[in-house]
């Protein structure tokens, strides 16, 4: 009789969504920071940031090491020009400083770095143009080596660890010279993000403002000390880091998400912006509006987006929508519900960024990024009292306190779908949250044997839109598992059943997440067909797609294993080649999304090259075409294509398709090369 194990490796825990580790908000009784308080006597006509302003606010929360975070204290809310001020409290939380924070409790652990109001001298030209040494804003970030970067007017200031648990003297990493913009003397870098270390460090910095030119810039460095701008993105709100595209038209495409509020929106009509760039192809940032799904029943209207972030190892987008600023003026009173509470809380939201605004979700009929989970931040503008503003009894928060930031980190040991989010708001508080959107556990619920036919019926818990693999072994420990069923589509959000071979006296089975389709070309490549085409010109070349091991041309070896598919394995392609290679039918009828990934090796003339097309299951109707893939690759390069949106934007989800790999050459023999080779293909 066959036996069965119940796992594919280690079973993941059930997804928990957004779980706070700690959250310290304005008005809470157990806040560990005594300077996190509502204001009682603030003159908002006297916002002088020299140590005398009595409104407390914060300037960032960043991961520093395994057990500590850094919290930026923008203003401690203590008038240090008052002889009777609390000097002890002011010393614990200096203005313009970074405080060590315990990552489990959110409690302060001491002063890490006092930046001060004037960390480095400003250029005479900046001051003569009307700039001042006192900065309205305070923002910072930390790179992978623990180097801290501070925004100060038109400069980014760098603090490196001193090797003794502290930081060395500041140096200027970047100075933005006068670029002729009308508000150059009001320059600010309100948001900073860093990743990498040394010469591989990259920075993005932006102003969160409507001011001319103060939009997001991407910086790189050759020595880890001095940075230069390499790209510019024109959105005006909060900005994420730059990551490899989750689904892309080329393997070198990158994404950066941003908000329009503040800067180009009053908060009511805010929208996320998705910026796409391709440094290898010389394509700079280009942004498109990106709508997010909302939940009005939960009070989440998708307005006042202050910040957004994502991570290369976390598949989802995280946003922070702030409690609104100037609620009475911007939102006004609801005419259908006079006297209703117009003050909205903040939200941390997780969205699926794979949904493109140019696509239509087949389930909802809307082209919105799916909302996966919400965390409501119980903070409201009405909690911050500014009674002396323009003589009005209550106006709300001061402008500089409303903005905030989220940072997504993937920590060691986290699975795909897990991450940490750090959040802060200028006045409302700060928090740390764990995200768990890992797949649901796969549990085998039934194994029913049919001894007469030597088969078994294997049933396991499943998720709609997922695919599964079944493996088999004669041992449980030190076993060599054999893949016996691949790419089984889920039967829905319940259980899925598949038939397996049970002819052996004892066998162990396990089920795990699978791909929609895979092909490594190591076998017979069943179902793959090759041929020629007459469109856009009749093939006049003897060159054909061939399967096998590379020989005296093309790559020295296959990407994986020993076999691949290439445009002739023994010589260069010839003139007027128009050849096609087609896959078996691939079933996308239940897929939530579909990304084609394969490894590509190409050496061809700039006008010769390949193209990926999608046909219907009959192979007769062209559904979608990709951009041409031309030129040379530097060895094997992974290509990632969103099958729901190739170059022409057609959506093939919910259909059965055939992939076509087409290679074309012109009539110039002098620049012919080895051609195009593909290997280790998968759809996931």
């Amino acid at each position: 009789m066959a036996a069965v194990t119940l796992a594919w490796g280690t079973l993941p825990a059930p997804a928990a969504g957004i779980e706070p580790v700690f959250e310290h908000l304005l008005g809470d009784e157990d806040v560990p920071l005594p300077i996190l308080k509502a204001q009682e006597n603030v003159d908002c006509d006297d916002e002088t940031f020299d140590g005398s302003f009595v409104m407390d606010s914060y300037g960032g929360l960043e991961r520093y090491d395994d057990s500590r975070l850094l919290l930026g204290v923008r203003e401690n809310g203590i008038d240090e020009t008052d002889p009777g001020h609390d000097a002890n409290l002011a010393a614990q939380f200096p203005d313009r400083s970074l405080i060590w924070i315990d990552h489990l409790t959110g409690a302060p652990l001491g002063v890490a770095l006092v930046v001060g109001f004037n960390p480095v001298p400003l250029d005479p030209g900046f001051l003569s143009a009307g700039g001042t040494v006192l900065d309205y804003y305070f923002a910072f970030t930390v790179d992978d080596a623990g180097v801290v970067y501070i925004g100060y007017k038109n400069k980014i200031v760098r603090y490196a660890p001193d090797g003794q648990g502290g930081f060395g003297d500041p140096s200027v990493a970047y100075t933005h010279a006068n670029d002729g913009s009308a508000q150059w003397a009001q320059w600010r870098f309100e948001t900073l993000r860093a990743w990498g270390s040394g010469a591989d460090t990259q920075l993005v910095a932006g102003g969160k403002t409507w001011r001319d030119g103060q939009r997001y810039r991407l910086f790189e460095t050759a020595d880890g000390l001095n940075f230069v701008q390499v790209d510019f993105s024109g959105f005006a709100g909060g900005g994420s880091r730059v990551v490899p595209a989750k689904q892309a038209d080329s393997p070198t495409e990158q994404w950066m998400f941003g908000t329009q509020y503040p800067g180009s929106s009053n908060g009511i009509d805010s929208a996320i912006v998705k910026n796409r760039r391709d440094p290898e192809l010389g394509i700079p940032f280009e942004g498109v509006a990106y709508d997010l799904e909302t939940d009005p029943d939960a009070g989440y209207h998708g307005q006042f987006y202050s910040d957004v972030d994502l991570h290369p190892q976390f598949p989802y987008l995280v946003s922070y929508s702030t409690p609104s600023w100037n609620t009475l003026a911007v939102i006004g009173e609801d005419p259908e519900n006079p006297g209703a509470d117009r003050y909205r809380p903040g939200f941390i939201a997780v969205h699926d960024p794979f949904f493109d605004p140019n696509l239509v979700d087949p389930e909802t009929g809307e082209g919105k990024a799916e909302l996966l989970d919400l965390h409501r931040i119980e903070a409201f503008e009405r909690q911050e009292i500014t009674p002396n503003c323009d003589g009005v009894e209550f106006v709300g928060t001061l402008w500089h306190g409303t903005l905030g930031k989220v940072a997504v980190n993937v920590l060691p040991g986290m699975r795909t779908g897990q991450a940490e989010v750090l959040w802060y708001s200028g006045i409302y508080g700060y928090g740390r949250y764990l995200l768990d959107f890992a797949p649901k556990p796969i549990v085998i619920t039934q194994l029913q044997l049919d001894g007469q036919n030597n088969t078994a019926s294997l049933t396991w818990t499943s998720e709609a839109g997922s695919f599964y693999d079944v493996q088999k072994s004669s041992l449980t420990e030190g076993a060599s598992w054999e893949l016996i069923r691949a790419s089984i589509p889920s039967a829905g959000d319940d259980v899925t059943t598949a038939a397996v071979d049970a002819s052996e006296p004892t066998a162990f089975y396990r089920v795990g997440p699978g791909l929609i389709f895979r092909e490594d070309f190591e076998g017979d490549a069943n179902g793959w067909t090759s041929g020629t085409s007459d469109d856009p010109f009749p093939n006049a070349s003897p060159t054909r797609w061939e399967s096998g091991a590379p020989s005296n041309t093309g790559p020295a070896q296959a990407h994986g294993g020993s076999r691949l598919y290439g445009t002739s394995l023994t010589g260069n392609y010839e003139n007027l080649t128009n050849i096609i290679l087609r896959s078996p039918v691939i079933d996308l009828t239940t897929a939530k999304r579909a990304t084609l990934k394969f490894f590509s090796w190409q050496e061809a003339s700039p006008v010769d090259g390949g193209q990926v097309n999608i046909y219907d299951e009959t192979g007769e109707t062209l559904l979608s075409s990709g951009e041409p893939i031309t030129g040379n690759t530097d060895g094997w390069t992974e290509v990632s294509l969103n099958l729901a949106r190739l170059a022409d934007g057609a959506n093939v989800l919910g259909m059965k398709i055939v992939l076509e790999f087409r290679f074309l050459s012109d009539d110039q023999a002098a620049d012919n090369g080895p051609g195009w080779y593909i290997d280790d293909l998968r759809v996931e």
Side-chain angles (χ1 to χ4, degrees):
M1 176 178 287
V4 61
T5 58
L6 300 181
W8 178 286
T10 301
L11 284 175
I18 306 174
E19 288 291 330
V21 177
F22 64 79
E23 184 179 73
H24 300 305
L25 302 179
L26 174 73
D28 288 352
E29 295 181 358
D30 60 347
V31 170
L33 285 187
I35 60 171
L36 181 56
K37 60 187 184 299
Q39 307 306 305
E40 298 178 353
N41 189 25
V42 175
D43 185 351
C44 62
D45 291 328
D46 185 25
E47 295 182 78
T48 304
F49 297 96
D50 59 359
S52 63
F53 194 49
V54 295
M55 183 173 182
D56 60 289
S57 62
Y58 304 92
L61 183 67
E62 298 283 336
R63 166 72 59 176
Y64 192 80
D65 57 26
D66 290 343
S67 61
R68 295 180 301 175
L69 312 177
L70 282 174
L71 177 69
V73 176
R74 184 181 183 182
E75 295 288 328
N76 59 21
I78 301 169
D79 181 358
E80 290 155 79
T81 65
D82 181 351
H85 77 276
D86 188 336
N88 181 56
L89 187 62
Q92 293 180 57
F93 306 100
D95 292 320
R96 308 300 160 111
S97 68
L98 303 183
I99 307 296
W100 295 118
I101 295 292
D102 184 282
H103 76 142
L104 296 178
T105 66
L109 301 173
V111 177
L113 174 64
V114 178
V115 175
F117 295 102
N118 317 115
V120 295
L122 293 174
D123 306 326
F126 185 84
L127 297 174
S128 64
T132 64
V133 297
L134 293 179
D135 201 351
Y136 190 83
Y137 287 87
F138 180 62
F140 77 100
T141 189
V142 183
D143 72 13
D144 296 344
V147 177
V148 172
Y149 300 87
I150 302 283
Y152 176 52
K153 294 294 188 174
N154 66 326
K155 297 181 181 293
I156 298 176
V157 182
R158 180 182 184 273
Y159 292 84
D162 61 7
Q164 301 177 359
F167 298 90
D169 293 334
S171 63
V172 176
Y174 174 77
T175 298
H176 192 79
N178 191 341
D179 59 4
S181 59
Q183 290 82 25
W184 177 70
Q186 300 173 17
W187 200 274
R188 68 187 192 221
F189 289 117
E190 199 279 341
T191 295
L192 294 168
R193 296 192 192 273
W195 60 95
S197 61
D200 294 324
T201 307
Q202 291 186 301
L203 296 170
V204 290
K208 274 188 180 175
T209 178
W210 52 267
R211 288 171 172 79
D212 185 26
Q214 296 181 32
R215 308 299 172 87
Y216 279 81
R217 288 167 160 77
L218 174 63
F219 301 95
E220 293 180 351
T221 177
D223 58 8
L225 302 174
N226 303 286
F227 287 76
V228 295
Q229 178 182 319
V230 295
D231 209 345
F232 173 85
S233 183
F235 64 90
S240 76
R241 76 193 75 193
V242 179
V243 302
K246 306 293 183 181
Q247 293 180 330
D249 294 333
S250 83
T252 53
E253 183 178 317
Q254 297 175 342
W255 285 357
M256 180 184 181
F257 284 82
T259 74
Q260 294 186 4
Y261 174 78
S264 58
S265 166
N266 65 3
I268 296 300
D269 56 351
S270 294
I272 299 297
V273 177
K274 181 169 78 172
N275 293 268
R276 302 169 66 172
R277 73 187 293 259
D278 199 318
E280 295 299 321
L281 299 179
I283 301 174
F285 276 124
E286 181 179 2
V288 295
Y290 195 83
D291 292 329
L292 304 184
E293 181 185 11
T294 62
D295 187 352
D297 291 339
Y300 175 62
H301 298 275
Q303 298 171 351
F304 295 95
Y305 285 118
S306 176
D307 201 44
V308 64
D309 196 24
L310 70 169
H311 190 280
Q313 300 172 34
F314 183 69
Y316 305 119
L317 182 73
V318 180
S319 67
Y320 165 52
S321 53
T322 178
S324 58
W325 173 68
N326 200 12
T327 304
L328 290 175
V330 175
I331 297 180
E333 188 168 4
D334 183 356
E336 298 182 0
N337 192 10
D341 190 349
R342 296 176 297 275
Y343 303 105
R344 294 177 178 169
F347 284 95
I348 295 173
V350 180
H351 288 86
D352 185 342
F354 291 100
F355 284 81
D356 191 285
N358 296 320
L359 298 177
V360 174
D361 181 345
E363 294 184 1
T364 66
E366 297 180 335
K368 297 180 182 294
E370 181 182 9
L371 175 64
L372 300 179
D373 201 12
L374 278 176
H375 173 74
R376 178 175 165 127
I377 299 172
E378 294 293 339
F380 297 84
E381 185 185 21
R382 62 176 177 231
Q383 294 175 270
E384 193 70 75
I385 303 172
T386 55
N388 296 330
C389 289
D390 304 322
V392 180
E393 181 179 353
F394 170 68
V395 170
T397 62
L398 297 186
W399 163 248
H400 77 274
T402 62
L403 304 182
K405 181 180 176 182
V406 285
V408 180
N409 302 313
V410 175
L411 306 180
M414 286 183 164
R415 307 187 310 275
T416 300
Q418 293 182 319
E420 165 193 80
V421 167
L422 303 178
W423 161 80
Y424 95 95
S425 165
I427 59 171
Y428 292 120
Y430 62 101
R432 176 179 176 236
Y433 312 85
L434 295 180
L435 308 184
D436 192 344
F437 294 90
K440 292 180 181 178
I442 300 168
V443 178
I444 296 175
T445 59
Q446 186 177 28
L447 177 66
Q448 187 172 352
L449 299 176
D450 182 351
Q452 205 170 21
N453 296 310
N454 289 326
T455 61
S457 177
L458 192 65
T459 301
W460 62 89
T461 57
S462 62
E463 290 183 272
S466 297
F467 292 78
Y468 299 91
D469 290 346
V470 179
Q471 290 184 340
K472 177 182 178 181
S473 176
S474 59
L475 301 171
T476 55
E477 297 184 6
S480 176
W481 291 94
E482 175 191 2
L483 180 65
I484 60 171
R485 292 289 307 275
S487 306
I488 302 171
S490 167
D493 271 330
D494 188 11
V495 295
T496 295
T497 299
V500 296
D501 173 39
S503 58
E504 299 174 9
T506 300
F508 299 88
Y509 301 93
R510 63 183 187 181
V511 179
L515 302 173
I516 300 173
F517 178 80
R518 76 189 78 199
E519 179 61 74
D520 59 11
F521 303 118
E522 293 304 304
D524 296 330
N526 290 331
W528 288 81
T529 60
S530 62
T532 62
S533 175
D534 292 333
D535 183 19
F537 54 81
N539 179 75
S541 165
T543 302
R544 297 291 186 272
W545 280 101
E546 296 179 346
S547 174
S551 56
N552 60 348
T553 188
Q557 58 188 17
H559 175 264
S562 61
R563 296 172 61 86
L564 46 67
Y565 245 110
T567 53
S568 179
L569 301 180
T570 57
N572 292 350
Y573 62 85
E574 298 194 21
N575 291 353
L576 296 176
T577 296
N578 185 357
I579 56 175
I580 58 175
L581 173 67
R582 287 187 172 181
S583 73
V585 173
I586 299 173
D587 189 349
L588 303 182
T589 53
T590 63
K592 293 180 180 178
R593 63 182 65 90
T595 301
L596 167 65
K597 295 183 178 181
F598 65 95
F599 285 89
S600 173
W601 190 102
Q602 183 167 276
E603 189 173 318
S605 130
V607 296
D608 300 338
Q611 184 181 37
V612 178
N613 299 316
I614 303 176
Y615 281 79
D616 71 352
E617 63 179 309
T618 69
E620 298 295 328
T621 303
L622 177 65
L623 302 176
S624 185
S625 295
E627 294 283 0
I629 302 173
T630 60
N632 301 334
T633 60
D634 183 13
W636 284 104
T637 300
E638 187 175 34
V639 176
S640 178
L641 299 174
N642 178 6
L643 296 185
R645 182 181 178 272
L646 291 187
D648 52 11
N651 184 1
V652 298
L653 293 180
M655 305 176 68
K656 293 181 179 180
I657 65 165
V658 170
L659 298 175
E660 179 187 82
F661 296 83
R662 180 189 296 259
F663 186 84
L664 301 99
S665 68
D666 62 12
D667 59 356
Q668 302 298 311
D671 54 9
N672 291 348
W676 193 22
Y677 297 76
I678 63 173
D679 199 4
D680 292 334
L681 179 148
R682 64 198 188 276
V683 177
E684 59 186 35

